[in-house]
Amino acid sequence: MPEFFRTESGKKLVTFIPGDGIGAEVTGAARRIIEATGAAIAWEDREAGASVFKKGLPSGVPQDTIDSIKKTKVALKGPLETPIGFGEKSANVTLRKLFETYANIRPVRTLPGVPTPFANKNIDLVVVRENVEDLYAGIEYMQTPGVAEALKLISRKGCEKIVRLGFEFARSEGRTKVHCATKSNIMKMTEGTLKRTFEAVAKEYPEIEAQHIIVDNCAHQLVRFPEWFEVIIMTNMNGDILSDLTSGLIGGLGFAPSANLGTDYAIFEAVHGSAPKYAGKNVINPTAVIFAAVMMLRRLGEFEAAGAIENSIIYTLEQGKFRTRDIVGDAGSCSTTAYTDAIIANLGKKPSKAFVRDYKPIQMPDVPTAPDFVKVQERKVAGADVYVEWTGTVDALGQALEAAASGSPFKLHMVSSRGTKLYPGGSAITDTVDAFTGRFVKGDGSDTSDAELLDLLARVGAKARWAHVEKLNVFDGVLGYTKAQGED
Ligand code: NAP
């Protein structure tokens, strides 16, 4: 755990970013409640989001906000609007990446007094989502005018960090079961890396039951038997989608908190956005960000205040006198302020069912920082996939690429399109697009030099416009590329 910055009076300093839309109302509620507990917390107010974009800063995050988080190592933030269509990056994503908060923790549990179709289930689970890699890095290209590509980059090191954190998180909360949900049956390398890492790391946590589950089945089981799950580790996009599903199970976005954790830095927020139509109306449910503040207090070691707030929220919901409009509709609902006041008034009270766990400080994983996390003894480039644009027939492309390779050390192994082999031999696919891949392999099985590859590209380029190249790596005898559907 990092050393937290303390003020002269010994309070731990937190960077406070109210955020956009309903942000000020929900973060303000959380701040008032924390102050009412008497926890030794002080605030450093900073800006990010819409107000900053409006001043012309395209990142949406000013330097003094970055400097503040660097100092405090902890931020409580409201939702930040992402401007649509101006080319600006999301200020949220900028913050997560800047501070390498590689884990996104999203807990949900059945709450008393919150009617949902699942209210009779004892849901108490946490999605541990990888937060910086995967398709959400947003690395995209147009290969041809009509064919788009996104790169799903998953590192063994990133998987090691998120899996270890998932187990450490389970341990800190006294959990007994951890799932890892992946699509490794289809994406054997990217999603498969998370699965293999999970299976390897699980052996170091023998007291915790570890189970892999295919992510689509996980979605299905989450709706049928949500009470089975305790901690679910997932890659970024799967975790984003399924954590919205889990929020829905327990009453919606008004109750779904989120912690972005890194080795040194942590940013706490609600899962929901700025809900602009409710801004300034004093009707929004602040519970999600208050639960996020509870997680923040635990990160700061303020376990007593965290437990008191958690108990008070549940007690208040259980009593049912003060509930916001998202729970009970407009009639009979209370304002954000009245709900917050009730939680403050109920500090020290306990709900009928024990709620607060015996939390221990989380041990952040100590994963080596060397970039070459996986080392190999032997490596070879067996050839290359060259992606080309082509509007003629597949047979004509196959013959053109064979002619291009003639006289070079390569031979054309096949032509595929969107992952399915089309040449030689054809396929059942009749409707093709204008993006194809020629797979070239070294005829004698030796390593490919860059000079040979560049010569191949020049040869291919004389026949068809090429867009993208991938080396066919073989690491320690294991193929570092997949076969196309129908390829031998
Ligand atoms: P949103 O702000 O989460 O709101 C969607 C709907 O969810 C609301 O209309 C409301 O539903 C419900 N809701 C959200 N927060 C609630 C709360 N505290 N209590 C009760 N109900 C709540 O999603 P959005 O409209 O798609 O996004 C708005 C802006 O927020 C966008 O600019 C987006 O980029 C940004 N955003 C930021 C973050 C972040 O900062 N982490 C996350 C997500 C989105 P009803 O209409 O049914 O009442």
Side-chain angles (χ1 to χ4, degrees):
M1 200 54 65
E3 269 294 300
F4 295 109
F5 184 92
R6 284 178 187 268
T7 61
E8 275 177 20
S9 59
K11 291 183 174 177
K12 288 172 193 152
L13 192 63
V14 170
T15 304
F16 183 83
I17 303 169
D20 302 322
I22 58 166
E25 292 161 64
V26 290
T27 53
R31 181 166 166 163
R32 269 210 300 134
I33 295 169
I34 290 178
E35 284 167 358
T37 64
I41 303 292
W43 310 96
E44 188 155 271
D45 294 299
R46 288 293 181 266
E47 263 189 315
S51 57
V52 181
F53 285 121
K54 277 184 200 132
K55 285 181 200 160
L57 193 68
S59 70
V61 186
Q63 190 59 42
D64 70 341
T65 301
I66 296 168
D67 292 342
S68 173
I69 300 174
K70 274 190 182 157
K71 178 174 70 183
T72 62
K73 300 192 172 72
V74 179
L76 181 64
K77 70 172 268 294
L80 305 178
E81 273 168 27
T82 304
I84 297 168
F86 297 102
E88 279 94 345
K89 288 274 179 195
S90 152
N92 293 303
V93 177
T94 301
L95 278 171
R96 282 173 210 159
K97 293 209 163 202
L98 263 178
F99 293 100
E100 189 65 28
T101 53
Y102 63 84
N104 187 217
I105 312 277
R106 294 184 167 185
V108 293
R109 65 197 298 186
T110 304
L111 296 163
V114 180
T116 77
F118 302 91
N120 62 339
K121 302 270 187 184
N122 189 17
I123 302 170
D124 181 7
L125 65 90
V126 185
V127 171
V128 174
R129 163 190 165 198
E130 202 288 325
N131 215 17
V132 290
E133 298 193 336
D134 196 12
L135 287 166
Y136 277 23
I139 309 166
E140 298 191 305
Y141 302 94
M142 293 304 295
Q143 278 194 4
T144 72
V147 178
E149 170 192 0
L151 284 188
K152 179 176 169 84
L153 294 179
I154 303 280
S155 70
R156 170 69 197 220
K157 188 198 221 174
C159 290
E160 191 90 16
K161 286 162 86 171
I162 195 68
V163 167
R164 287 189 181 280
L165 185 88
F167 278 103
E168 287 298 340
F169 184 82
R171 206 174 244 179
S172 76
E173 293 208 341
R175 306 265 186 173
T176 56
K177 199 178 353 172
V178 174
H179 280 87
C180 176
T182 75
K183 195 66 187 168
S184 55
N185 51 333
I186 304 293
M187 287 171 274
K188 294 182 168 54
M189 293 193 189
T190 51
E191 293 281 311
T193 299
L194 182 66
K195 176 175 185 276
R196 286 186 292 279
T197 309
F198 175 75
E199 286 162 352
V201 170
K203 297 190 181 102
E204 296 175 38
Y205 297 85
E207 79 280 16
I208 295 174
E209 186 187 335
Q211 276 185 31
H212 177 262
I213 183 168
I214 298 291
V215 68
D216 34 353
N217 183 33
C218 183
H220 164 234
Q221 303 299 356
L222 272 170
V223 176
R224 294 195 71 211
F225 305 108
E227 68 279 12
W228 281 1
F229 295 91
E230 289 192 57
V231 174
I232 317 172
I233 301 170
M234 280 180 261
T235 48
N236 202 339
M237 191 169 95
N238 291 338
D240 188 28
I241 296 169
L242 284 198
S243 62
D244 261 36
L245 183 152
T246 55
S247 312
L249 295 175
I250 54 95
L253 289 174
F255 295 99
S258 161
N260 301 289
L261 299 187
T263 307
D264 295 316
Y265 302 99
I267 300 172
F268 297 85
E269 60 184 335
V271 170
H272 65 68
S274 59
K277 68 180 176 187
Y278 295 118
K281 295 197 170 144
N282 198 21
V283 294
I284 206 76
N285 183 352
T287 312
V289 83
I290 302 170
F291 274 143
V294 166
M295 286 198 277
M296 180 189 83
L297 288 172
R298 294 206 170 101
R299 169 89 168 185
L300 290 164
E302 299 285 331
F303 290 98
E304 203 176 310
I309 297 174
E310 199 170 2
N311 271 328
S312 175
I313 295 170
I314 309 307
Y315 179 87
T316 306
L317 289 171
E318 197 178 71
Q319 294 293 301
K321 274 195 245 160
F322 294 92
R323 288 185 291 178
T324 44
R325 60 168 294 287
D326 56 313
I327 313 175
V328 290
D330 284 321
S333 66
C334 73
S335 67
T336 309
T337 317
Y339 177 70
T340 307
D341 289 342
I343 293 172
I344 292 172
N346 289 333
L347 284 169
K349 301 203 173 116
K350 293 207 167 137
S352 60
K353 275 198 197 154
F355 194 78
V356 175
R357 295 170 175 280
D358 184 15
Y359 293 92
K360 293 183 197 66
I362 184 165
Q363 183 69 45
M364 292 302 285
D366 188 12
V367 174
T369 54
D372 53 341
F373 191 79
V374 178
K375 295 190 171 58
V376 289
Q377 305 289 320
E378 267 179 31
R379 55 191 302 159
K380 177 176 102 168
V381 177
D385 278 353
V386 184
Y387 290 70
V388 296
E389 188 173 336
W390 185 263
T391 51
T393 66
V394 177
D395 283 348
L397 175 61
Q399 285 152 19
L401 294 180
E402 276 166 350
S406 172
S408 83
F410 298 96
K411 63 178 199 286
L412 180 75
H413 181 61
M414 62 147 187
V415 174
S416 63
S417 181
R418 291 172 293 162
T420 300
K421 180 186 162 190
L422 300 176
Y423 178 93
S427 98
I429 290 183
T430 51
D431 189 13
T432 51
V433 296
D434 58 358
F436 294 87
T437 309
R439 173 160 287 182
F440 295 90
V441 292
K442 272 301 268 300
D444 62 2
S446 64
D447 186 35
T448 303
S449 71
D450 283 355
E452 288 168 334
L453 192 52
L454 291 172
D455 176 58
L456 176 68
L457 284 179
R459 287 163 172 270
V460 171
K463 305 279 182 189
R465 190 189 291 268
W466 62 266
H468 175 85
V469 183
E470 288 283 353
K471 287 182 174 178
L472 302 179
N473 283 308
V474 182
F475 295 125
D476 283 339
V478 179
L479 299 191
Y481 52 95
T482 52
K483 295 201 168 179
Q485 294 287 342
E487 184 187 357
D488 298 325

